[in-house]
Amino acid sequence: MPDMSHAPTLEELSEDARAYLHVGDIEAAVAVLLEGLRSDQSDETRAGATKAVNNLCLSLWTAGDLGGGARAARAVLSEIVPSEDTPAESRFLDGYVAALAETGTTPLAPRRVARHRHLLRLFEGVVNGLEGDIAECGCARGLSSFQLCAAFRTAHPQWQGETFHVFDSFQGLSAPGD
């Protein structure tokens, strides 16, 4: 009989997750890795599980399995990110996960989810009254740009992106000058 008196180690969780992935059961692999994110785990195990979940999603997306990566990301986000159980929240998470997949962004940064949820609510609150171009300064992988464009396109179905501009130096901000 297995020893259930200790929390599983990161190595044990990773081995189990790999076994599930080997047979194509992404949801079970994610469930095992979520076990490593529980608060009764060591900091090392939680950090390793976070990295493993992010790597799993990124590897699925890199391999072209956007659906598998999206299912994994959605399962993780549903488990660890506080959210309301509403159709609007479900649409947000679906859009957020799609944007993660399209931009190859890791899913586990729970504070980022809250920031993006707030950004979209603010943007959607003004999107119908906007005239002129839209610019985002600082885009990293383009996650928020992708989401803002999707939101604008929902409000303006004929829009093709011609008035959306993204600026990024990829090196940080330059020193202030005259």
Side-chain angles (χ1 to χ4, degrees), residues 4-126:
M4 303 304 275
S5 63
H6 78 281
T9 65
L10 180 58
E11 292 77 25
E12 292 167 330
L13 294 169
S14 296
E15 186 177 314
D16 289 348
R18 277 192 297 276
Y20 282 119
L21 287 173
H22 184 71
V23 297
D25 194 341
I26 293 167
E27 286 79 8
V30 168
V32 166
L33 294 173
L34 282 171
E35 209 176 311
L37 297 173
R38 292 201 177 117
S39 61
D40 60 341
Q41 298 290 342
S42 70
D43 289 344
E44 180 183 347
T45 299
R46 283 195 305 275
T50 298
K51 185 176 180 179
V53 167
N54 283 331
N55 287 341
L56 169 63
C57 293
L58 290 177
S59 66
L60 289 166
W61 291 329
T62 301
D65 187 355
L66 297 184
R71 285 193 316 275
R74 180 66 190 254
V76 168
L77 292 171
S78 296
E79 183 76 23
I80 67 167
V81 175
S83 66
E84 305 132 20
D85 187 18
T86 64
E89 182 63 14
S90 185
R91 280 190 305 277
F92 165 76
L93 278 178
D94 287 344
Y96 184 75
V97 167
L100 290 171
E102 289 294 330
T103 61
T105 304
T106 57
L108 281 187
R111 289 182 290 186
R112 182 180 61 213
V113 178
R115 284 194 321 264
H116 281 250
R117 185 183 294 121
H118 186 67
L119 172 67
L120 280 177
R121 284 181 181 157
L122 292 172
F123 186 74
E124 288 170 348
V126 298

